[in-house]
């Protein structure tokens, strides 16, 4: 919770100290590459969790997909 508070506080300070003049687009500042990498990583994790869940017998399978890597006690 402390990291969240620090992030909100620093974001507020940065927003407060911003310039009133809108900055133009700079060459090479597109963020599609990192976003594509995050999309691929999230997709791979979701498919991995789905495949792992399919290997578990139905009667021992956790109720939801999110607690599947955590074990039965998380359900």
């Amino acid at each position: 919770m402390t990291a969240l508070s620090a992030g909100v506080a620093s974001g507020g300070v940065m927003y407060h100290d911003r310039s009133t003049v809108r900055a133009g687009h700079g060459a090479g500042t597109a963020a599609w590459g990192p976003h594509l990498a995050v999309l691929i990583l999230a997709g791979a994790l979701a498919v991995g969790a789905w495949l792992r869940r399919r290997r578990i017998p139905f009667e021992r399978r956790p109720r939801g997909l999110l607690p599947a890597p955590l074990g039965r006690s998380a359900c």
Side-chain angles (χ1 to χ4, degrees):
M1 196 60 148
T2 305
L4 176 65
S5 302
V8 170
S10 67
V13 169
M14 288 172 44
Y15 181 78
H16 180 58
D17 291 338
R18 76 188 190 285
S19 173
T20 57
V21 178
R22 186 171 180 165
H25 177 74
T29 58
W32 67 268
H35 282 95
L36 181 62
V38 168
L39 175 68
I40 291 171
L41 179 63
L45 287 173
V47 168
W50 179 71
L51 288 174
R52 182 177 179 197
R53 185 172 181 204
R54 282 188 50 200
R55 289 189 309 185
I56 300 172
F58 185 74
E59 59 274 355
R60 291 188 338 169
R61 190 175 293 174
R63 297 283 184 251
L65 183 60
L66 279 180
L70 302 175
R72 186 162 232 201
S73 60
C75 295

